[in-house]
Amino acid sequence: MTVSDRPRAVLFDRDGTLIQNVPYCADPSRVRPMPGAAEALALLRAARVPVGVVTNQSGIARGLLTRAEAHAVNRRVEQLLGPVATWRICPHAPDAGCPCRKPRPGLVLAAARDLRISPGQIAVVGDIGADVRAGLAAGARPVLVPTPDTRTDEVEAAPEVHPDLLTAVRALLGEVAA
């Protein structure tokens, strides 16, 4: 892989991908990075590849957390893992029909606009099928990093799967076979 084959940006799902999944997390003190997350993001930054986050946060619509609490959690993520070039959050309920909620492409497309990078030059890394489908729908390169919560059919349907976040990023950077 040449430098020109690398994605020009990488967008990550938040819960279950960058940080441990705490459903409807409103408390920054509960944020725990996933294994390898800090090193993976450091590798991307060293390669001058911007990172972003695209995350569904339906707890806002459900009244389980506020936007301010979600932003506080995101600030904690940055304290632990470093700066993020763009944050895109869908605060809507699953049945709202919004264009941003993954698996729809809205979050990915908005983040691509923020970064001024074509979606086709972006990788989307997540832990469930909705992340993969959002990447595909946006024309990005989807990468699945399964967790115990990932369904078998989601793993089988994903075009690119890696066992952990660090391996996924190394593959995106061409350091290991994709």
Side-chain angles (χ1 to χ4, degrees):
M1 171 183 285
T2 66
V3 171
S4 64
D5 294 329
R6 291 180 184 172
R8 290 195 47 225
V10 180
L11 304 176
F12 293 91
D13 172 55
R14 190 186 81 179
D15 305 318
T17 302
L18 286 180
I19 63 171
Q20 293 177 13
N21 187 21
V22 175
Y24 312 114
C25 185
D27 180 358
S29 73
R30 297 186 69 195
V31 173
R32 302 285 181 273
M34 291 294 283
E39 187 177 354
L41 294 182
L43 284 174
L44 288 167
R45 290 184 188 107
R48 298 189 181 276
V49 176
V51 298
V53 177
V54 290
T55 179
N56 289 343
Q57 294 298 317
S58 68
I60 295 170
R62 298 169 196 243
L64 301 171
L65 69 151
T66 66
R67 285 180 189 262
E69 289 167 329
H71 291 302
V73 168
N74 294 345
R75 282 192 302 277
R76 182 65 180 150
V77 170
E78 288 194 83
Q79 288 171 348
L80 295 171
L81 299 177
V84 172
T86 183
W87 283 91
R88 283 298 175 156
I89 300 167
C90 173
H92 306 109
D95 60 356
C98 67
C100 55
R101 184 173 177 79
K102 294 180 288 180
R104 292 179 191 92
L107 292 176
V108 176
L109 296 173
R113 285 191 302 274
D114 292 345
L115 298 170
R116 294 181 172 90
I117 298 173
S118 164
Q121 297 175 303
I122 292 175
V124 177
V125 179
D127 65 315
I128 61 172
D131 301 316
V132 170
R133 292 192 309 277
L136 286 170
R141 176 181 174 182
V143 177
L144 184 70
V145 178
T147 69
D149 294 330
T150 311
R151 296 190 325 254
T152 302
D153 63 309
E154 294 173 325
V155 175
E156 292 169 353
E160 186 173 345
V161 180
H162 295 285
D164 56 66
L165 200 53
L166 191 54
T167 302
V169 165
R170 286 184 170 144
L172 289 170
L173 292 175
E175 296 176 10
V176 298

